Amino acid sequence: MSERDVRAVENMARTGMCFDDLCDAFVQFPYEDIEIIYMRMRKEISPWAQAELKRNCS
């Protein structure tokens, strides 16, 4: 992922998008990369709250 792509995912995560929505919006990126960014943003937004990660695999 380029720096620009990372910033795009970060911005969307900051708006409150859940992990599933981020994965649906950025299908061209690996789930693992989105997960790393998502978890980092959730910790940045609320460091005392544990980031919740849900993925519908059906």
Side-chain angles (χ1 to χ4, degrees):
M1 291 175 76
S2 71
E3 189 65 28
R4 184 177 177 187
D5 297 334
V6 170
R7 296 294 169 233
V9 175
E10 286 177 350
N11 288 332
M12 298 303 273
R14 281 189 189 108
T15 66
M17 285 183 81
C18 70
F19 180 71
D20 286 336
D21 291 341
L22 285 172
C23 290
D24 291 342
F26 298 99
V27 295
Q28 68 274 27
F29 304 135
Y31 294 131
E32 296 81 16
D33 292 346
I34 296 173
E35 179 181 4
I36 290 167
I37 296 167
Y38 177 78
M39 298 299 277
R40 186 175 67 231
M41 290 297 99
R42 297 312 309 164
K43 287 178 185 176
E44 184 179 299
I45 292 169
S46 57
W48 61 88
Q50 184 178 7
E52 189 174 322
L53 187 62
K54 296 180 181 177
R55 184 71 185 144
N56 183 358
C57 297
S58 58

